[in-house]
Each structure stands twice: as C-alpha cells, then as structure tokens.
Amino acid sequence: MAVVQRPTVRRRVLAANLRRLREERELQQEDAARELSCDPSKISRIEKAESGIRQVDLKLLLQLYGIKGKGDQEGWLALARESRKRRWWRDFEDRLPNDFLDQVGLEEDSSHCRGFEPGVVHGLLQSQPYAEAVIGRGEPGPLSEERQARVQVRMERQKAITRSTQPLETWMILGEAALRQEYGGPAVLRDQLRHLTELSELPNVTLQVLPFSAGAYRGGPFPFMIYRFPEPSEMEVVALENHTSQTYLETPRDTGYYGDVFNHLRASALGPIESQSLIREIAGQLSH
C-alpha cells in the first residue's frame, strides 16, 4: 500500500499563518478567492494545509493582507518554498507513526524550543546507549525494527542542536528523577550525565534541573515542549507526549498557559551552574 504523505510542518505553519493574517484583516475566504480568481474551496484547502500555494498566488494574498513590502514578503515566500522540500525523515514514514515524525519536523523547522521532562532525559539530549535503553523499555532481546528506526531518527534529529546554520536554541528543565533513573544501568546513566554536561556547554543550550527539594510545582509531573518558529511567523506549538502518541496545541490560550508553566518551573529550578554541579555529583556517585 502506498504511503500517503502528510503535509510538512512548514506547510502547516504557513497555512495557519495565512488563516491568521486573513482573519486579522477581517476578510472571508470568499474575499481571498476573489483576489486569486478561484473557488473558495481552494483557499480552504490552502488554509488546512491540504494543498500548497504558488508563489504568485502567495504574493497576491500577502498584498491583500497588508504585507506589501518586498522585504516583508520574502520571509513568507521563503517559508512557502521550504514547505515543498522533502525532508530526510520522510524515508521513515512506513515504519514510524506520523505524529512522531511531526515532532521531528518541529525540531528541524523551529528556531527555539523550551520544555520540561520530569522523569527521563529528553530525546534531543540523549546518548545512543541511553536512547536504546529508553526506547527498549526494559524488555529483553534486541530492539524491533520500529524501535531501531526510532533510535536512528532520535540520533539524527539531535543535529538540530549542532547544525552550522541557526542551531536550535534549546532550554530544557529536567526533573532530578531523570538524572537518577538508571536506564540501561549505572554505566549507561553515567555516560548520559557526562553527555548532558557537554551539551550544556554549548552557547545555544540552557539546562536546568528541578530538584526534589523544590516540592510541588505548577503544571504537575507532565512533560511538554514549546517550539517557536522563526520570523516571519513566530508561531508557537506545544507538544505533549504520552505512551502511544503526541498531541500538538497551537492556540494562544494553550501556548500562553504552557509558557507560564515553563516560567514557573524555570524560577523553581536550580540555575544552570548549580544544575551542572548536581549532574556531575550524581555522575561521580555512579563511578564507584
């Protein structure tokens, strides 16, 4: 059976922003359709990311929506061009769930991410042995083909942090439990903690630890990530992960709520230097 390709994350970001721009001008889809001399159903498909948009049509809509300067338009035109490119993770579409690949797309296409992981090191920061232990879920025997693919993708997606052009600005808060749960055993965890300290030295990575002593905190022990896209959209998406799938939230109400939760956690957590010290202390305990 042929795999039906989902729209890229960038196409969905462009679609959501075109809808937002239209609504801010208090225009209807029929108004946009008249500008393009097309049926309103075409505008609907574009705004649902069910179809792409030609550069000439995008320019007309941007003019209609009040974005008339050549420099102002170029960012949107570039976003449209990028939305048509095939991404490396599409080779895994027949082996991995679409919502998992969506998260990879978010990390690849966003400029900033910040989030909280209470009980496990986040996938962007995992060493390969640790990732294999987490994805293996403690089950005996070799990893299945799907889980092997997950490990492969997890290692590849980490390049977003170290890419030469606009590396992903990453601010991660880890619960102290994430530093102590021995996925893969003491040696694997020790190497993972050393990997964390190395990553925390990167100029685009901020790492904090929420210690057990912090007590109760806003939001509860539930992981989340907030991704922000670069100009011109600067749209934010919240990713929530559970045992079987991911959920993505895009409304200002949701992104604002999780932004407030993150700020509360950031204030409650140890500072970056103190966090490094705690990570090294726990790693040293595992060396004995």
Side-chain angles (χ1 to χ4, degrees):
M1 181 183 296
V3 176
V4 178
Q5 288 194 0
R6 288 160 61 86
T8 64
V9 169
R10 290 197 183 197
R11 182 194 285 184
R12 297 205 296 279
V13 169
L14 178 63
N17 276 279
L18 287 176
R19 183 179 66 250
R20 174 182 62 82
L21 291 173
R22 175 179 59 76
E23 291 174 347
E24 286 177 351
R25 301 288 288 190
E26 297 184 349
L27 297 170
Q28 303 300 315
Q29 289 185 344
E30 289 78 8
D31 300 314
R34 279 195 295 272
E35 188 70 16
L36 299 189
S37 300
C38 69
D39 191 271
S41 62
K42 176 177 178 178
I43 303 299
S44 177
R45 290 194 301 273
I46 291 172
E47 292 186 355
K48 292 179 181 177
E50 293 174 353
S51 66
I53 183 171
R54 299 182 304 165
Q55 296 270 296
V56 62
D57 288 341
L58 180 55
K59 288 180 181 179
L60 289 173
L61 287 184
L62 292 174
Q63 288 276 349
L64 179 65
Y65 299 157
I67 301 175
K68 299 180 179 180
K70 184 176 181 181
D72 295 331
Q73 288 188 356
E74 179 51 38
W76 296 104
L77 295 170
L79 181 60
R81 289 193 294 269
E82 289 294 315
S83 72
R84 292 193 293 270
K85 290 185 178 179
R86 178 179 173 83
R87 303 291 177 168
W88 60 265
W89 59 88
R90 294 302 173 189
D91 293 335
F92 293 86
E93 284 182 317
D94 60 339
R95 286 178 281 171
L96 295 175
N98 282 321
D99 54 5
F100 176 80
L101 296 176
D102 283 343
Q103 185 174 13
V104 180
L106 284 171
E107 292 165 351
E108 184 80 7
D109 292 339
S110 57
S111 58
H112 295 71
C113 73
R114 62 194 195 277
F116 174 54
E117 277 284 359
V120 65
V121 175
H122 189 268
L124 278 174
L125 308 177
Q126 291 178 3
S127 67
Q128 183 162 337
Y130 183 90
E132 290 172 350
V134 171
I135 292 172
R137 302 174 185 174
E139 297 177 7
L143 296 178
S144 65
E145 182 179 353
E146 178 185 334
R147 292 182 180 178
Q148 289 174 356
R150 283 181 179 267
V151 172
Q152 184 179 350
V153 170
R154 184 161 296 182
M155 293 301 100
E156 189 69 26
R157 69 193 245 209
Q158 293 178 1
K159 294 179 181 178
I161 293 178
T162 57
R163 60 195 178 203
S164 57
T165 303
Q166 297 179 331
L168 180 63
E169 294 285 341
T170 304
W171 193 326
M172 190 71 61
I173 300 171
L174 298 177
E176 185 174 342
L179 309 180
R180 297 188 180 276
Q181 190 72 33
E182 295 184 4
Y183 286 100
V188 169
L189 178 59
R190 181 186 63 237
D191 291 344
Q192 170 63 67
L193 296 179
R194 290 173 176 170
H195 182 60
L196 278 179
T197 59
E198 293 173 0
L199 289 175
S200 68
E201 298 288 347
L202 296 175
N204 58 304
V205 175
T206 300
L207 181 62
Q208 291 183 259
V209 176
L210 184 71
F212 292 141
S213 59
Y217 49 88
R218 187 174 177 187
F222 305 108
F224 65 89
M225 291 294 295
I226 307 171
Y227 297 94
R228 189 171 87 233
F229 292 88
E231 294 182 347
S233 77
E234 295 188 325
M235 176 180 172
E236 287 193 331
V237 175
V238 175
L240 306 176
E241 184 175 0
N242 57 38
H243 288 293
T244 59
S245 64
Q246 282 86 10
T247 300
Y248 301 101
L249 310 175
E250 301 175 6
T251 68
R253 178 181 178 181
D254 288 327
T255 58
Y257 170 79
Y258 281 96
D260 289 343
V261 170
F262 179 84
N263 288 334
H264 183 273
L265 290 167
R266 181 182 65 178
S268 301
L270 299 175
I273 295 176
E274 293 83 0
S275 296
Q276 276 194 354
S277 296
L278 179 58
I279 293 170
R280 290 193 174 98
E281 177 185 333
I282 296 173
Q285 294 169 359
L286 293 167
S287 298
H288 302 296

